[in-house]
């Protein structure tokens, strides 16, 4: 018996609209382990090729209006976001991760299923420059248990993402 095809998500529909080829890859969800490293293991890719999407907020943009703006940071699954680098990329003085309670109302997605594409609000997106090292990357399709596999250049176009160095430097072994 053939497994039914996973349901199309808003992110997948956006890719269809843009004519971007992709693969939907389902995986089993462990609510106690939603890490990108766990997802990578389940879909058979190295963790540095599975990108996680984080929501952050920046304070006053240099030269811009006072207040707070949200941004997406898309980084390798095995890396840690460097908030100073994100703030620099966003032209802000400071960046902090958004609280979990902010994520769903602002993006329409729950933890473990956040993606830039098809989010409720089109916040600026910044993707770590290592995204270009791969022929294919994986990002959340907009729900837990489902990943999108596509070319980095197609992802950057669909997410309207800006490349930047976003991750903490790894200590030398």
């Amino acid at each position: 018996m053939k497994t039914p095809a996973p349901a199309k998500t808003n992110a997948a529909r956006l890719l269809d609209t843009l004519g971007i080829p992709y693969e939907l890859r389902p995986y089993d969800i462990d609510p106690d382990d939603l890490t990108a490293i766990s997802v990578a293991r389940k879909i058979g890719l190295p963790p540095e090729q599975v990108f996680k999407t984080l929501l952050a907020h920046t304070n006053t943009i240099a030269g811009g209006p006072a207040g707070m703006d949200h941004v997406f940071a898309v980084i390798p699954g095995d890396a840690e976001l460097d908030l100073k680098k994100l703030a620099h990329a966003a032209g802000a003085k400071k960046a902090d991760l958004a609280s979990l309670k902010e994520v769903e109302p602002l993006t329409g997605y729950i933890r473990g299923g956040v993606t830039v594409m098809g989010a409720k609000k089109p916040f600026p997106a910044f993707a770590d420059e290592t995204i270009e090292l791969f022929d294919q990357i994986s990002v959340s399709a907009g729900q837990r248990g489902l990943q999108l596999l596509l070319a980095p250049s197609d992802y950057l176009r669909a997410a309207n993402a800006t490349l930047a160095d976003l991750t903490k430097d790894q200590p030398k072994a």
Side-chain angles (χ1 to χ4, degrees):
M1 190 169 130
K2 193 176 173 204
T3 310
K8 287 269 173 114
T9 62
N10 287 342
R13 284 190 279 278
L14 173 68
L15 293 174
D16 288 343
T17 303
L18 295 172
I20 292 176
Y22 62 90
E23 175 191 335
L24 283 171
R25 190 168 293 178
Y27 63 92
D28 293 327
I29 306 163
D30 176 355
D32 297 323
D33 185 4
L34 297 171
T35 66
I37 291 172
S38 170
V39 171
R41 189 173 53 249
K42 291 174 183 178
I43 65 168
L45 287 175
E48 63 271 15
Q49 209 168 335
V50 176
F51 283 73
K52 57 188 173 186
T53 304
L54 304 170
L55 183 66
H57 50 79
T58 59
N59 68 352
T60 310
I61 301 293
M68 216 183 317
D69 289 303
H70 287 85
V71 297
F72 285 113
V74 182
I75 63 169
D78 62 348
E80 196 177 337
L81 177 62
D82 186 319
L83 292 165
K84 285 183 178 153
K85 289 180 179 178
L86 176 61
H88 177 75
K93 293 178 182 173
K94 186 177 177 203
D96 289 298
L97 283 178
S99 69
L100 278 181
K101 68 178 193 290
E102 290 177 276
V103 172
E104 189 175 1
L106 289 170
T107 67
Y109 297 123
I110 58 171
R111 179 174 174 250
V114 177
T115 186
V116 173
M117 300 174 293
K120 208 185 261 190
K121 296 182 181 171
F123 298 121
F126 297 90
D128 189 71
E129 59 196 6
T130 60
I131 201 166
E132 292 190 308
L133 298 175
F134 306 101
D135 294 334
Q136 184 181 59
I137 58 151
S138 172
V139 295
S140 174
Q143 68 184 45
R144 290 178 181 170
L146 193 60
Q147 290 289 108
L148 282 167
L149 278 70
L150 70 165
S153 58
D154 288 337
Y155 173 76
L156 292 169
R157 182 166 62 98
N160 197 20
T162 302
L163 283 175
D165 175 11
L166 297 177
T167 57
K168 290 191 175 174
D169 296 326
Q170 298 301 316
K172 304 283 185 258

